[in-house]
Amino acid sequence: MDQIHNTILLIDDHPMLRNGIKQLIGTDNRLLVIGEAGSGIEGIQLAETFEPDIIVLDINMNDMNGLEILRHLRAKNIASRIIIFTVSDAKEDIITALKTGADGYLLKDMEPEDFLKALHNIAMGKVVMDDAISHIMLDYMRYGDKSTTNHQHNVDLLTPREQEIFHLLVKGLSNKLIAKELAIVESTVKVHIKNIFKKLNFKSRMEMTVWYLQSKE
């Protein structure tokens, strides 16, 4: 029986770093790099062609800012989980990534084993964020746009089925596990998730989960 892989696309303009990440991922037989790009334009094309499970994206690119690439990918409805993997711990970059639809934000000085663990977590539907910057995201969700938060993220707008899926999403379940839990097909789960994001005005699981956890405090 063939090994099932989580497919990964690397978008980073540093060849040596891409090579290092590929070698690291190559040590894990559950992960597979199916493409790499050294420019934003090429990265967007490969994302559209392969629509991998995970995209690892740098912010500081030569031809196009990584956050612009992220915006393009989400505008094209690329369903891949997207991790920002960067040296930037700037508050504005982190918040922009969160608002634009990133599913994770990791810093490049993290330990290799933690990076692999993050890839597995994001593949399972969990939110991944570097411990060093998680407080910035939480502060933003706590204090940012307070006047409109309740209106923008009204869970009562969801149908009963969408509410079921919403609560499984914020628990960190993947699409596959949600489908199994509710005895429906995975493609149906994806349609519901798209509707949930639209109704609640979220662009990613990360943004939604951070908001949910914050609202429970």
Side-chain angles (χ1 to χ4, degrees), residues 134-150:
S134 59
H135 67 284
I136 294 175
M137 293 182 179
L138 292 173
D139 284 347
Y140 170 73
M141 297 310 296
R142 178 180 292 150
Y143 302 117
D145 300 324
K146 259 194 166 183
S147 62
T148 59
T149 296
N150 291 334

Side-chain angles (χ1 to χ4, degrees), residues 35-97:
E36 58 178 296
S39 72
I41 293 172
E42 183 187 8
I44 292 169
Q45 291 172 341
L46 289 177
E48 288 186 275
T49 300
F50 295 119
E51 196 150 338
D53 297 314
I54 302 167
I55 296 174
V56 178
L57 173 63
D58 190 15
I59 286 181
N60 301 309
M61 303 280 289
N62 284 327
D63 66 329
M64 186 185 297
N65 182 280
L67 297 173
E68 279 299 312
I69 298 169
L70 173 61
R71 191 171 286 110
H72 278 280
L73 292 173
R74 290 311 186 205
K76 291 175 179 290
N77 291 318
I78 298 297
S80 309
R81 312 298 308 286
I82 302 176
I83 301 178
I84 299 296
F85 188 50
T86 182
V87 297
S88 175
D89 59 358
K91 182 178 180 180
E92 57 269 26
D93 286 342
I94 296 164
I95 291 173
T96 301

Side-chain angles (χ1 to χ4, degrees), residues 10 106 110 117 156 163 173 204:
L10 307 178
L106 302 174
M110 70 188 304
K117 183 178 178 181
D156 292 335
Q163 290 199 26
L173 271 68
S204 72

Side-chain angles (χ1 to χ4, degrees), residues 9-216:
L9 170 64
L10 307 178
I11 306 177
D12 193 300
D13 61 2
H14 291 88
M16 287 183 66
L17 188 134
R18 290 200 312 271
N19 192 50
I21 294 176
K22 274 199 305 183
Q23 289 182 354
L24 175 63
I25 291 173
T27 66
D28 191 317
N29 61 11
R30 294 169 295 172
L31 303 171
L32 178 66
V33 175
I34 59 167
E36 58 178 296
S39 72
I41 293 172
E42 183 187 8
I44 292 169
Q45 291 172 341
L46 289 177
E48 288 186 275
T49 300
F50 295 119
E51 196 150 338
D53 297 314
I54 302 167
I55 296 174
V56 178
L57 173 63
D58 190 15
I59 286 181
N60 301 309
M61 303 280 289
N62 284 327
D63 66 329
M64 186 185 297
N65 182 280
L67 297 173
E68 279 299 312
I69 298 169
L70 173 61
R71 191 171 286 110
H72 278 280
L73 292 173
R74 290 311 186 205
K76 291 175 179 290
N77 291 318
I78 298 297
S80 309
R81 312 298 308 286
I82 302 176
I83 301 178
I84 299 296
F85 188 50
T86 182
V87 297
S88 175
D89 59 358
K91 182 178 180 180
E92 57 269 26
D93 286 342
I94 296 164
I95 291 173
T96 301
L98 175 68
K99 291 170 67 177
T100 308
D103 296 294
Y105 197 106
L106 302 174
L107 300 179
K108 286 184 176 178
D109 61 357
M110 70 188 304
E111 295 295 328
E113 58 269 25
D114 292 335
F115 179 69
L116 288 177
K117 183 178 178 181
L119 291 178
H120 286 296
N121 283 338
I122 205 163
M124 290 189 293
K126 297 181 180 179
V127 169
V128 297
M129 64 179 81
D130 200 289
D131 290 341
I133 54 91
S134 59
H135 67 284
I136 294 175
M137 293 182 179
L138 292 173
D139 284 347
Y140 170 73
M141 297 310 296
R142 178 180 292 150
Y143 302 117
D145 300 324
K146 259 194 166 183
S147 62
T148 59
T149 296
N150 291 334
H151 175 70
Q152 287 182 326
H153 309 317
N154 183 2
V155 179
D156 292 335
L157 294 173
L158 304 179
T159 66
R161 174 62 93 189
E162 288 168 352
Q163 290 199 26
E164 281 183 299
I165 292 174
F166 168 82
H167 286 293
L168 294 174
L169 278 172
V170 294
K171 285 180 181 179
L173 271 68
S174 66
N175 293 358
K176 189 171 292 186
L177 288 176
I178 291 172
K180 185 177 179 181
E181 178 79 16
L182 300 179
I184 57 179
V185 296
E186 193 173 347
S187 59
T188 301
V189 173
K190 289 180 179 179
V191 171
H192 282 308
I193 291 173
K194 185 175 288 188
N195 291 336
I196 290 167
F197 283 175
K198 186 174 182 180
K199 288 182 180 181
L200 299 187
N201 196 29
F202 288 119
K203 290 188 173 68
S204 72
R205 295 181 193 226
M206 179 170 71
E207 185 183 16
M208 185 171 68
T209 303
V210 170
W211 169 79
Y212 177 77
L213 293 175
Q214 200 61 52
S215 70
K216 292 296 156 187

